[in-house]
Amino acid sequence: MESQTPAIDPAQDEDKKIDLRYYWAVIKKRLWMIIAVTVAVTTLQVVRAARKPKIYKAGATIIIDPQAPNVLGDQVEVVQLGSGNAWINEEYFNTQYRILTSLYLAKRVVETYPQLLNDPRVLPPTPGMKPDERLEAVAGAIQGRLRVGIGKDSRVFSIQVRDRDFKLCPELANYIAEVFINDNVLVKRGQTMEANRFVTKKLDEARKELDEAEKALIAYKEHNNILSVSLEDRQNLLSKGLETFSTALNDATRQRIELQGRRKAMAALIEGDPLSAPSSYFNNAPTAAALRETLLTEQQKLADIEDRYGDKMAQIATQRARVAALRAALKSEGQSLLRALDAELRSVKDAEVNYQAQLKTLTEDAFQVNSKEVDYKKLMRRAVTAEANYKQLLERSQQSGLQAQDYANNIRMLDRARPSSTPIAPNVQMSGITGLMMGLVLSFALAFGIEFLDRSVKTQEDIEQGARMTFLGIVPSLQAEAGPGKPELSIAKHPDSVVAESCRVLRTNIQFSSADKPLRTLVVTSSSPREGKTMTVVNLGIVMAQAGHRTLLVDTDMRRPRLHKALGVSNEDGVSRMVVGATDLERAVKSTEVPNLFLLPCGPIPPNPAELLQTEKFAALAKLLADKFDRVIFDSPPVLSVTDAAVLSRVVDGTIFVVRAGRTTRDAVASARRAIVNVNPYIVGAVLNDVDLKSPHYQGYASYYKYRYREAPKVASASTDQNA
């Protein structure tokens, strides 16, 4: 099982934070590249700008008012130039901007000033080009030189022309402004005249339609005899006649009914008692009324006499005779009244019949008039509509005729363009500044890009996250501190050096990586050659020996053994001879100039190192060495080159990887780790070797490992000797 004991982190308080010192160190590391790229880009930009042709600029300004002067008062213009509405004004100004920058206006400029068509300053001669194509090309060239700007919170438009000829710029700018101003009025007048022609045409049609409608109305009146009296008057007369005769008919009918009732009552009275009839029946017959009153009087007298004297008086007979005579006279007068009633009744009936006939005639006439009214109103509406349309078109024709003569314009020139001999481009100074900025950006991008794209192992994170191994520590480069003599023994000669301190940190981390079971046998290997594993083996052995442990270094790199050279001992006897039984432990193990540090050299190089290391005798030798010494460290070949390291990992307590900073790739370390894990899953961790503390990746380590025991170096040395 892999150890997950965290390594000592001298910059633990700054972990996961942005370290500006790292970025500054990267910049210092690649400063010359940054300077070279920046100078190259700046120079290239300046030279490129200096070689460009000079460009000049001239501009005219115009004012575009929201509305043209209202010469015709409140009349609605056929073509309105602008509006008083803010939203419409914004659209109007944007439209004018589009027109100013359009190819159409450029063509109008060429058509207005034909000398531009063959001006070589605008477009060099092109033999074989058709006139239309030449016009299109020249207009496109003018359009390409044009720049239009709108003043902020104003109605001022700037028309700028840029060209290599400073005299051509103001000419084109003024031409464009003049054509735009004139074309604005011409377009208005052209559309107004076109509208006037349309209105005139429609006016002639309306006049003909009005004449036809009036003639049709007159013909209808003649045909229906309604010339002297209008149709409305005839309708009124018929209405009055119908009303009069209807009233008369009703009166005649009522009179007839009354007469019929009176005749019936009168006939009944004549047959019966005339005195029973109401006195109102005799209102129109004074004679009958007088006889009736006399009869009533005499009959009353008769009744009085009969009551007083009875039937025996002679006066009674006389009175009775007088009453009978009066009754006979009254009846005769009733017959006369009845004949008069019959005559009056016949007259009333004749009048009723006549009234009915007249009402029928008037009703038929009214129906005819109503049917004529529908056609008459159609003709009248047609005539009225035609007249109204004619009047409206006549008025509009007069207005459009006046508007066609109106030259009022809402666009006017503010300032004409003037030539300027000062070029606006190229701006060498600005190009230099731009090149400098581009060079800095590019150089920084390259510097940090190269740094970030580097797949080599450089940091603790690369080992822990990329290779998934415990980080044991770093070993700085010995080049600056080795001094004279063998560099492998420099930490023994300089125990207060940065390298020595880093090796002691490495020793401590190895001890704490397995607190339950001390790691007595270790194999040190690497993924590739020349990563410093032999140097690491020697340094690790020295610091362990200085800690008081009897430490044995075993050179099992039987392909390129180097430990005997590093420690200055003979290689005659060694591991290969002990495995085959040609020598014993006392003769093979050599002492070194470092107390408590011993070496078992490789011995003669065998032809088959891997098979030799897999033998039971070598396993027994490894066990014997572990019993004889406190610490045994095996130096092995690289993992990816041969299988020796994998074989050795089976007979030791743990494996330590040496990774050369900035040289070994993360992929190589990961592959080597997998090769070892397949045999012995326990890997103590990895050592980052040959570290340049000036590198931006190790700023925190540099400040940590530069700590020296300055205050009491002798005490520290004495303590080291005592531990040994």
Side-chain angles (χ1 to χ4, degrees), residues 213-231:
E214 290 177 344
K215 290 178 180 179
L217 185 61
I218 293 173
Y220 185 82
K221 287 183 177 181
E222 290 178 352
H223 179 72
N224 292 280
N225 195 22
I226 55 176
L227 294 176
S228 58
V229 180
S230 65
L231 189 63

Side-chain angles (χ1 to χ4, degrees), residues 16 200 210 223 237 338 376 431 440 445 490 496 537 556 560 580 593 655 657 676:
K16 303 299 182 181
T200 302
L210 178 60
H223 179 72
L237 291 175
L338 187 59
Y376 177 79
S431 298
L440 287 174
S490 65
D496 57 349
V537 168
T556 49
R560 295 179 60 187
V580 299
E593 58 184 270
T655 304
F657 270 92
I676 295 299

Side-chain angles (χ1 to χ4, degrees), residues 544-651:
M544 286 187 175
Q546 290 176 345
H549 303 293
R550 296 184 71 251
T551 304
L552 175 66
L553 305 182
V554 182
D555 194 350
T556 49
D557 187 354
M558 296 185 178
R559 303 173 191 273
R560 295 179 60 187
R562 290 187 63 253
L563 281 179
H564 65 284
K565 295 180 181 180
L567 297 177
V569 298
S570 173
N571 194 34
E572 293 180 2
D573 289 329
V575 176
S576 59
R577 290 178 60 83
M578 288 190 66
V579 172
V580 299
T583 185
D584 56 9
L585 183 64
E586 288 75 9
R587 294 178 58 187
V589 174
K590 305 294 191 295
S591 299
T592 67
E593 58 184 270
V594 179
N596 287 332
L597 181 63
F598 303 91
L599 171 65
L600 178 59
C602 170
I605 298 176
N608 51 352
E611 288 77 2
L612 183 67
L613 297 176
Q614 290 179 349
T615 61
E616 294 294 335
K617 291 183 178 181
F618 179 79
L621 174 61
K623 186 176 184 304
L624 175 63
L625 296 177
D627 294 337
K628 294 290 185 180
F629 294 92
D630 297 331
R631 299 286 186 268
V632 181
I633 303 175
F634 293 86
D635 183 15
S636 70
V639 177
L640 299 181
S641 300
V642 291
T643 61
D644 297 8
V647 174
L648 286 170
S649 65
R650 297 186 306 170
V651 297

Side-chain angles (χ1 to χ4, degrees), residues 10-11 95 145 341 355 373 376 552 567:
T95 302
R145 293 172 167 87
L341 286 175
Y355 291 155
E373 182 185 12
Y376 177 79
L552 175 66
L567 297 177

Side-chain angles (χ1 to χ4, degrees), residues 86 146 177 190 198 214 313 342 448 459 509 628 649 666 709 712:
L146 177 63
F198 173 78
E214 290 177 344
M313 287 295 295
D342 290 338
F448 286 99
T459 64
N509 289 340
K628 294 290 185 180
S649 65
R666 282 171 276 182
Y709 301 99

Side-chain angles (χ1 to χ4, degrees), residues 238-535:
L238 287 174
S239 297
K240 290 181 180 180
L242 286 172
E243 183 180 359
T244 301
F245 282 102
S246 179
T247 302
L249 178 60
N250 292 334
D251 293 342
T253 301
R254 185 179 65 256
Q255 187 178 2
R256 175 180 59 80
I257 293 172
E258 291 178 354
L259 290 174
Q260 286 177 346
R262 289 173 59 191
R263 184 185 183 286
K264 183 178 180 181
M266 185 62 70
L269 291 175
I270 292 173
E271 295 298 329
D273 186 6
L275 295 176
S276 61
S279 60
S280 59
Y281 284 6
F282 304 97
N283 290 337
N284 297 326
T287 302
L291 288 174
R292 181 176 179 279
E293 293 296 329
T294 303
L295 178 59
L296 288 173
T297 303
E298 293 301 325
Q299 191 171 353
Q300 184 65 35
K301 289 180 179 181
L302 177 60
D304 292 340
I305 293 173
E306 285 178 349
D307 290 339
R308 184 182 297 176
Y309 301 107
D311 294 335
K312 297 179 177 183
M313 287 295 295
Q315 293 179 348
I316 294 174
T318 302
Q319 188 64 29
R320 287 178 176 173
R322 186 180 290 117
V323 169
L326 288 172
R327 190 179 293 276
L330 181 59
K331 188 174 182 179
S332 177
E333 187 64 24
Q335 292 290 340
S336 299
L337 290 175
L338 187 59
R339 287 192 294 273
L341 286 175
D342 290 338
E344 186 177 359
L345 183 60
R346 285 193 298 273
S347 176
V348 170
K349 286 182 178 181
D350 292 340
E352 188 177 8
V353 172
N354 292 332
Y355 291 155
Q356 290 176 347
Q358 189 64 28
L359 280 174
K360 182 178 180 182
T361 301
L362 291 174
T363 303
E364 292 175 354
D365 291 343
F367 281 123
Q368 291 179 358
V369 170
N370 289 336
S371 63
K372 293 177 182 179
E373 182 185 12
V374 175
D375 297 333
Y376 177 79
K377 286 184 176 180
K378 287 181 180 179
L379 294 173
M380 181 60 70
R381 283 196 301 269
R382 178 186 174 189
V384 171
T385 303
E387 183 180 6
N389 188 31
Y390 175 75
K391 289 181 178 179
Q392 183 179 9
L393 289 173
L394 179 61
E395 181 182 2
R396 195 56 182 160
S397 176
Q398 294 172 351
Q399 292 178 356
S400 60
L402 291 174
Q403 292 171 7
Q405 305 301 320
D406 182 14
Y407 285 87
N409 197 350
N410 67 319
I411 303 176
R412 65 184 186 275
M413 183 77 76
L414 180 61
D415 289 321
R416 297 182 63 85
R418 294 178 297 177
S420 174
S421 58
T422 303
I424 62 169
N427 190 336
V428 179
Q429 182 179 2
M430 183 57 65
S431 298
I433 295 174
T434 304
L436 178 62
M437 299 303 296
M438 292 173 58
L440 287 174
V441 172
L442 180 60
S443 61
F444 279 115
L446 285 174
F448 286 99
I450 293 172
E451 192 72 22
F452 293 143
L453 291 177
D454 188 1
R455 291 285 297 171
S456 63
V457 178
K458 297 182 290 293
T459 64
Q460 176 180 347
E461 289 75 13
D462 294 339
I463 292 177
E464 293 178 343
Q465 299 177 7
R468 293 188 299 169
M469 288 190 292
T470 301
F471 178 73
L472 297 177
I474 68 170
V475 177
S477 175
L478 287 172
Q479 296 177 359
E481 300 182 355
K486 294 183 176 61
E488 290 82 356
L489 300 177
S490 65
I491 67 170
K493 298 176 181 179
H494 305 283
D496 57 349
S497 65
V498 175
V499 178
E501 179 61 28
S502 65
C503 291
R504 285 190 285 269
V505 172
L506 176 61
R507 178 192 63 193
T508 303
N509 289 340
I510 293 173
Q511 291 175 350
F512 282 100
S513 63
S514 180
D516 298 334
K517 179 182 178 181
L519 299 175
R520 300 187 62 187
T521 58
L522 298 170
V523 60
V524 178
T525 186
S526 63
S527 59
S528 305
R530 303 184 64 83
E531 294 195 43
K533 59 179 179 55
T534 300
M535 179 71 71

